């Protein structure tokens, strides 16, 4: 990082985000911490996303807008918006999420004051398309205390076998740590593999407040239900790839251990965690049934929330 570069970069990968992009940009620009650049990588949107972003870039020099000549898919776009940055700390931001105006200031303070901490995030709740809080019993106030452990394999286990997903992929991360990984690999759910590798590289620390609001919207990738839809979303260059997403995930975890485990004993413990993950009998019965039906990993967030709300 050169002295002329800001301490923080925020990256927004977007495709056809006209409904949310202005709100996402305003959320970044309203932060009480202002030493950042905001990189926006537009995946060849064919709605008003480009016009909205270019208008912001004209008005605020911190906003850098880039447009891909064609839709690359989400994973290449997520990686690109990081690759163009040159800052000490980095944060990915999704167009349908929001975070408190104090978020960056508090996150920067944590990384500045804790050199052993690789990334940090706040607790998480969920919002709908209009920014209204969703009362999701199993999702509100998500926390990740196990990722704060001094023990590498405990942190790693929290990703593969823990609850609450990986909202902390949208936390503030040391850029040097991301560069020790392949970034997001071309697999639906790649954020789990990346967070698992960050757990191998060092500790997480949580801001003990709910400052992050995850958007649950119809257009969101969490509502893609078939393997074909998920693959096209991940990598538009290979939308009909025959690679099995689950085997790719397994290889991702094993490669991360080979690359980033701190010592032989912790590498062995992490491989045992992978074995536990593999031998979740009830889970893999469901996985097999979904595979035979052409269904993908996860999916169905909108329907789940409608059921919870009784709609």
């Amino acid at each position: 990082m050169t002295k002329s570069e800001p301490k923080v970069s925020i990256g927004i990968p977007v495709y056809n985000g006209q409904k949310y992009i202005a709100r996402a940009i305003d959320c970044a620009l309203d932060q009480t911490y202002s030493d950042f650049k905001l990189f926006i990588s537009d995946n060849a949107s064919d709605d008003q996303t480009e016009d909205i972003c270019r208008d912001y870039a004209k008005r605020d020099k911190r906003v850098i807008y880039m447009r891909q000549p064609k839709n690359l898919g989400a994973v290449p776009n997520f990686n690109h918006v990081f690759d163009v940055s040159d800052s000490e700390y980095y944060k990915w931001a999704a167009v349908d999420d929001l975070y408190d105006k104090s978020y960056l200031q508090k996150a920067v303070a944590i990384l500045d004051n804790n050199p052993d901490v690789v990334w940090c995030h706040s607790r998480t709740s969920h919002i709908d398309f209009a920014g209204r809080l969703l009362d999701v019993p199993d999702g509100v106030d998500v926390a990740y205390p196990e990722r704060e452990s001094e023990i590498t394999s405990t942190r790693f286990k929290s990703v593969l076998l823990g609850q609450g997903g990986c909202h902390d992929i949208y936390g503030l991360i040391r850029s040097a740590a991301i560069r020790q990984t392949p970034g997001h690999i071309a697999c639906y759910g790649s954020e789990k593999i990346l967070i698992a590798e960050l757990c191998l590289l060092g500790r997480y620390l949580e801001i003990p407040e709910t400052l992050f609001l995850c958007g649950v919207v119809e257009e969101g990738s969490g509502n893609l239900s078939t393997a074909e839809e998920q693959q096209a979303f991940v990598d538009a260059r290979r939308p009909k790839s025959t690679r099995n997403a689950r085997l790719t995930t397994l290889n991702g975890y094993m490669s991360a251990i080979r690359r980033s485990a701190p010592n032989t004993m912790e590498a062995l413990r992490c491989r045992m965690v992978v074995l536990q993950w593999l031998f979740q009998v009830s889970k893999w019965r469901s996985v097999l049934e979904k595979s035979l039906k052409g269904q993908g990993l996860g999916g169905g967030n909108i329907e789940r929330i409608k059921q919870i709300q009784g709609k």
Side-chain angles (χ1 to χ4, degrees), residues 207-224:
I207 303 167
E209 302 173 67
T210 304
L211 303 178
F212 181 76
L213 301 173
C214 175
V216 182
V217 299
E218 241 177 296
E219 306 93 329
S221 62
N223 205 42
L224 300 175

Side-chain angles (χ1 to χ4, degrees), residues 98-100 103 106-107 110 120-125 141-144 167-168 170-172 204-213:
L98 294 174
Y99 41 102
D100 187 84
Y103 182 97
K106 291 174 179 178
I110 284 178
C120 64
H121 188 46
S122 75
R123 295 190 174 193
T124 297
S125 286
D141 206 22
V142 175
Y144 303 112
H167 295 296
D168 47 331
Y170 294 109
L172 190 67
Y204 166 79
L205 198 58
E206 191 160 80
I207 303 167
E209 302 173 67
T210 304
L211 303 178
F212 181 76
L213 301 173

Side-chain angles (χ1 to χ4, degrees), residues 224-234 239-241 294-296:
L224 300 175
S225 58
T226 70
E228 185 175 355
E229 288 174 332
Q230 291 173 357
Q231 174 59 31
F233 168 78
V234 164
K240 297 189 181 297
S241 172
Q295 295 175 352

Side-chain angles (χ1 to χ4, degrees), residues 117-133:
V117 170
V118 171
W119 83 113
C120 64
H121 188 46
S122 75
R123 295 190 174 193
T124 297
S125 286
H126 295 77
I127 53 173
D128 66 9
F129 70 95
R132 296 174 297 220
L133 193 66

Side-chain angles (χ1 to χ4, degrees), residues 118-182:
V118 171
W119 83 113
C120 64
H121 188 46
S122 75
R123 295 190 174 193
T124 297
S125 286
H126 295 77
I127 53 173
D128 66 9
F129 70 95
R132 296 174 297 220
L133 193 66
L134 290 168
D135 184 20
V136 185
D138 64 344
V140 168
D141 206 22
V142 175
Y144 303 112
E146 297 89 354
R147 295 176 200 179
E148 299 185 9
S149 173
E150 297 283 350
I151 302 171
T152 302
S153 52
T154 299
R155 299 193 299 264
F156 188 77
K157 184 176 181 179
S158 77
V159 179
L160 276 68
L161 301 176
Q163 301 295 318
C166 288
H167 295 296
D168 47 331
I169 195 64
Y170 294 109
L172 190 67
I173 312 170
R174 294 188 190 276
S175 297
I178 300 175
R179 292 193 177 96
Q180 289 180 250
T181 77

Side-chain angles (χ1 to χ4, degrees), residues 238-295:
R238 291 184 286 273
K240 297 189 181 297
S241 172
T242 57
R243 287 189 302 177
N244 184 286
R246 294 160 186 89
L247 291 178
T248 304
T249 300
L250 172 60
N251 183 62
Y253 289 143
M254 297 302 287
S255 297
I257 294 169
R258 286 194 297 272
R259 235 182 347 257
S260 299
N263 56 57
T264 302
M265 183 56 68
E266 280 302 292
L268 178 60
R269 288 172 177 155
C270 289
R271 290 188 181 102
M272 293 301 293
V273 170
V274 174
L275 281 177
Q276 287 180 267
W277 174 76
L278 280 172
F279 285 102
Q280 296 174 93
V281 177
S282 60
K283 173 183 176 178
W284 288 101
R285 186 182 298 117
S286 172
V287 164
L288 179 59
E289 290 173 355
K290 285 185 175 182
S291 295
L292 292 173
K293 295 176 183 177
Q295 295 175 352

Side-chain angles (χ1 to χ4, degrees), residues 216 223 299-309 311:
V216 182
N223 205 42
N301 285 348
I302 297 295
E303 290 305 314
R304 182 168 66 92
I305 284 173
K306 283 181 179 178
Q307 289 171 4
I308 290 169
Q309 294 180 326
K311 293 181 179 179

